[in-house]
Amino acid sequence: MLAVLCLAVFAINVDTTIVNVALPTLVKQLGASTSSLQWIVDAYNLAFAALVLTAGSLSDRFGRKGALIVGLGIFGVATTAGAFGTTTSELIVARVAMGVGAAIIFPNTLSILTNVFSDRGERAKAIGAWGATTGMAVAFGPIIGGWLLEHFWWGSVFLAMAPPAAIAMLLVILFVPPSRDPAAPRLDGLGLALSTMTIGLLVYTVIEAPDEDGPRPPR
């Protein structure tokens, strides 16, 4: 079960950096502008960051296993669609959808892990393995992406994450027990919407701020 959860979190964290090495190729193949390249990278992170808290809260209330399966399905379909995109706009939309799937997957892997490993020592080891997998995935992203570009076409950096997502989804169905938080508070739709909007706007501001002109000095 730990291996299944680590596989799921590995796939979504590899995707935060794997696309970076394909950017020069996207300029040649799709004529991507600088702004488009920025959003191909950042659309994933923006959707991920904006929705992760809301997704975790809803999953605790309605069921973590089902949410994890849904998240893996969204992520797998979106990354496959991205591989066969023909315009930068299609890639950006695919990256947003991948970020939505990742936002559902990420908190559920940790919630399921802490629920299954009730022993304090086992839980600490499991969280250590989960955290190490997350860190390694981010570091391995450019390495995997570079190898794929050397041997295949640019879409392979997207398509490569579809098989791990499909395998993880199947293994979750087979081996992960259903769980939810029995003490989950009453659903606060307005609070979830406001938190999503606030985090989304904050991340959007961080992304866009470097490209905005600052105040001009007086003459």
Side-chain angles (χ1 to χ4, degrees):
M1 191 182 306
L2 177 60
V4 174
L5 298 176
C6 286
L7 176 62
V9 81
F10 182 85
I12 62 173
N13 280 283
V14 162
D15 229 51
T16 61
T17 55
I18 193 173
V19 73
N20 294 350
V21 295
L23 298 182
T25 305
L26 294 178
V27 174
K28 297 177 183 178
Q29 298 293 326
L30 300 182
S33 65
T34 302
S35 176
S36 295
L37 292 176
Q38 179 180 354
W39 279 107
I40 288 171
V41 174
D42 292 334
Y44 179 85
N45 298 323
L46 177 59
F48 192 164
L51 294 171
V52 67
L53 291 179
T54 298
S57 178
L58 291 175
S59 301
D60 285 342
R61 183 177 182 84
F62 296 109
R64 297 165 181 143
K65 178 177 180 176
L68 184 55
I69 293 170
V70 169
L72 286 165
I74 293 173
F75 181 82
V77 170
T79 196
T80 302
F84 298 101
T86 57
T87 66
T88 55
S89 296
E90 291 175 358
L91 285 183
I92 292 170
V93 172
R95 291 284 285 175
V96 171
M98 291 160 65
V100 172
I104 300 172
I105 295 167
F106 191 76
N108 277 289
T109 56
L110 185 58
S111 296
I112 292 172
L113 185 150
T114 55
N115 181 72
V116 169
F117 294 94
S118 55
D119 179 76
R120 187 172 181 178
E122 289 184 350
R123 179 182 295 176
K125 293 177 182 178
I127 292 176
W130 180 89
T133 301
T134 301
M136 287 190 299
V138 173
F140 286 167
I143 299 172
I144 297 171
W147 185 87
L148 290 170
L149 285 176
E150 186 177 353
H151 294 85
F152 305 100
W153 95 113
W154 64 264
S156 62
V157 301
F158 293 94
L159 192 60
M161 291 300 104
I167 293 170
M169 184 164 59
L170 176 61
L171 294 177
V172 167
I173 294 171
L174 294 176
F175 297 113
V176 174
S179 66
R180 66 180 67 196
D181 184 3
R186 182 179 61 86
L187 185 64
D188 181 8
L190 179 60
L192 292 176
L194 289 175
S195 66
T196 299
M197 291 173 57
T198 301
I199 297 173
L201 287 172
L202 177 61
V203 175
Y204 178 84
T205 302
V206 172
I207 292 171
E208 287 292 301
D211 295 329
E212 295 295 327
D213 294 330
R216 297 182 180 274
R219 295 185 177 181

